[in-house]
């Protein structure tokens, strides 16, 4: 029997062990998509206790606690941080098979030196150990990033954001990790969402463009794209139910926009047309700037109305959309490609049934002499467990070029979540090492080591331009 999460955790043979320890383990981290608050980096936040840094905004853990029958008081309610931590400990001990079990223990080991297992009986010991360590300046937000080997991150930022915290970080010569904005224009695109008209008023103000037509709407967005580009932005990120494709003339788009700005409801067809043309405009602009376009789709949001009304969005009640129309995605990408303005694109679907379809889409648009210009993103959200990551690696290997993959990201709000890169790298090394071990690929240490280091770091650096 192997020891619990020892140094060769998830590594099933000597080739996998060699690849991980000699080539993957010490590679730097570029976390190109996350939800870290740049203000916390700028102010170098010091956390008061383990609950603040671990449970504060982690809807993954909240969801699991609810599944264990924990009352909402101890999740997002007014219970003390100690009580919330105790409830998490009692939940974790029963989370066999869930990636949070591994992630949590990797975090306890890397940042706090705790090599036991967190459970109801050890909760007080772990609470005191972690909180004592968190008192040290060495455990501040910035130092946690340095400790993790992070060299660059891409945050998630709205077009109307001032990016003031990014500037503060950039101007601070004592901190050498790149914290770059990534453009997230969902509120500007989703004309059917509540608050769209109010948002456009704010966009008009910050862009200094009166938005009263689709042309002025594009001009306002272009002004903000220029603003982001001047502050180091290298890419965009979109979160949509699916990628729409319904074309319309600009005169029709003017009418649709006028309806929405007047507070009137737009039809499904009108919404689709507006989103399509907005996305096509943005895609062209990304291509002109050399940005990477990331498309996240296949999510149904805020499905539990009662809980949404009580505690709001992004609290653990989203789900997988069962019927993502990949044909619309293909039409969208083809329209950009036909104009020679298809940017580098990373595709993520929350529905694992889309993996093969995405793998085939990649091959449709690999062109222009760019190495794996179209990428399948890392196993996302409900898929970022052992099986999901393994299936993503299999899919890219079966249908594309695994050695050119841009690897892992955290998609997280936590400064402790960088161990997800370790988790992924262990799975990656085991996946490739097992193929070599079984005679499916020749053993050439130099070549294999380069593939592992490329996927872990260099591909991302080159692809995004960090």
């Amino acid at each position: 029997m192997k020891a619990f999460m020892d140094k060769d955790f998830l590594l099933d043979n000597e080739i996998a062990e060699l690849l991980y320890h000699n080539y993957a383990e010490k590679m730097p981290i570029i976390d190109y998509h996350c939800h870290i608050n740049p203000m916390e980096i700028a102010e170098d936040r010091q956390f008061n206790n383990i609950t603040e840094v671990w449970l504060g905004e982690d809807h993954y853990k909240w969801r699991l606690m609810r599944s264990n029958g924990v009352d909402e008081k101890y999740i997002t309610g007014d219970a003390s941080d100690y009580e919330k931590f105790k409830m998490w400990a009692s939940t974790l001990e029963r989370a066999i098979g869930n990636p949070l079990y591994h992630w949590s223990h990797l975090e306890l080991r890397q940042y706090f030196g705790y090599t036991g297992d967190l459970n109801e009986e050890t909760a007080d010991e772990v609470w005191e150990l972690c909180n004592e360590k968190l008192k040290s300046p060495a455990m501040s937000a910035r130092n946690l990033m340095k400790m993790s080997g992070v060299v660059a991150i891409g945050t998630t930022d709205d077009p109307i954001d001032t990016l003031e915290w990014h500037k503060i970080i950039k101007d601070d010569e004592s901190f050498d990790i790149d914290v770059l904005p990534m453009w997230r224009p969902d509120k500007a695109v989703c004309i059917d969402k509540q608050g769209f008209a109010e948002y456009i008023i704010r966009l008009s103000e910050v862009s200094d463009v009166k938005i009263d037509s689709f042309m002025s709407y594009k001009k306002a967005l272009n002004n903000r794209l220029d603003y982001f580009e001047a502050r180091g932005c290298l890419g965009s990120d979109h979160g949509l139910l699916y990628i729409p494709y319904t074309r319309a003339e600009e005169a029709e788009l003017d009418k649709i926009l006028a309806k929405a700005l007047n507070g009137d409801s737009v039809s499904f067809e009108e919404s689709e047309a507006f989103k399509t043309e907005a996305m096509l405009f943005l895609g062209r602009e990304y291509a002109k700037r050399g940005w990477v376009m990331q498309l996240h789709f296949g999510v149904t949001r805020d499905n539990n109305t009662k809980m949404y009304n009580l505690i709001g969005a992004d609290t653990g009640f989203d789900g997988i959309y069962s019927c993502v129309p990949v044909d619309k995605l293909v039409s969208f990408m083809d329209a950009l490609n036909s104009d020679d303005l298809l940017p580098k694109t990373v595709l993520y679907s929350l529905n694992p049934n889309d993996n093969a379809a995405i793998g085939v889409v990649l091959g449709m648009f690999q062109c222009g002499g760019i190495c794996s210009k179209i990428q399948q993103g890392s196993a996302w959200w409900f898929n970022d467990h052992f099986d999901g990551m393994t299936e993503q690696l299999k899919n890219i290997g079966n249908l594309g070029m695994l050695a050119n993959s841009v690897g892992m990201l955290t998609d997280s709000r936590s400064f402790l979540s960088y161990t997800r890169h370790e988790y992924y790298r262990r799975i990656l090394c085991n996946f490739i090492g097992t193929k070599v071990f079984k005679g499916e690929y020749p053993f050439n240490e130099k070549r294999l080591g380069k593939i592992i280091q490329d996927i872990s770091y260099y591909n991302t650096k080159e692809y995004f331009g960090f």
Side-chain angles (χ1 to χ4, degrees), residues 121-253:
E121 293 180 357
T122 62
D124 285 339
E125 171 194 355
V126 175
W127 170 261
E128 292 173 8
L129 168 69
C130 293
N131 292 349
E132 185 62 32
K133 285 186 175 290
L134 284 168
K135 292 177 183 177
S136 168
M139 297 291 280
S140 68
R142 292 185 177 192
N143 286 319
L144 287 170
M145 295 175 74
K146 291 178 181 177
M147 189 189 310
S148 305
V150 176
V151 296
I153 69 169
T155 57
T156 303
D157 308 281
D158 192 278
I160 65 174
D161 199 308
T162 64
L163 306 183
E164 60 187 297
W165 300 110
H166 293 83
K167 184 178 188 307
I168 291 171
I169 296 167
K170 184 178 180 180
D171 291 345
D172 187 344
E173 295 181 358
S174 69
F175 187 64
D176 59 0
I177 296 175
D178 289 332
V179 179
L180 302 182
M182 290 286 182
W183 169 272
R184 179 71 175 250
D186 295 355
K187 291 180 181 178
V189 171
C190 295
I191 194 171
D192 54 339
K193 294 294 186 182
Q194 186 176 356
F196 175 80
E198 292 79 6
Y199 179 84
I200 294 299
I201 291 172
R202 296 180 65 196
L203 176 60
S204 182
E205 291 170 350
V206 300
S207 64
D208 200 26
V209 175
K210 182 181 179 182
I211 301 174
D212 56 9
S213 65
F214 193 69
M215 182 173 290
S216 58
Y217 165 82
K218 291 189 292 184
K219 182 179 180 182
L221 287 175
N222 226 339
N223 284 1
R224 298 307 295 170
L225 286 163
D226 290 342
Y227 184 88
F228 269 61
E229 185 173 29
R231 285 152 184 80
C233 184
L234 299 173
S236 71
D237 175 51
H238 297 261
L240 298 168
L241 181 63
Y242 59 87
I243 308 306
Y245 194 77
T246 300
R247 301 304 302 268
E249 297 294 331
E250 193 145 321
E252 179 62 23
L253 298 171

Side-chain angles (χ1 to χ4, degrees), residues 50-51 54-55 81-93 105 108 114 116-131:
I50 183 63
T51 298
W54 224 23
L55 296 172
D81 285 349
Y82 171 73
E83 291 173 312
K84 290 178 178 179
F85 177 78
K86 288 277 284 187
M87 286 297 183
W88 170 240
S90 65
T91 295
L92 189 64
E93 69 179 70
H105 285 94
L108 288 173
Y114 182 74
D117 67 289
L118 175 59
N119 55 60
E120 200 164 10
E121 293 180 357
T122 62
D124 285 339
E125 171 194 355
V126 175
W127 170 261
E128 292 173 8
L129 168 69
C130 293
N131 292 349

Side-chain angles (χ1 to χ4, degrees), residues 50 69 94 123 200 238 244 262 344 400 438 457:
I50 183 63
R94 300 186 62 82
I200 294 299
H238 297 261
N262 194 46
K344 293 179 183 177
K438 292 167 66 175
Y457 174 72

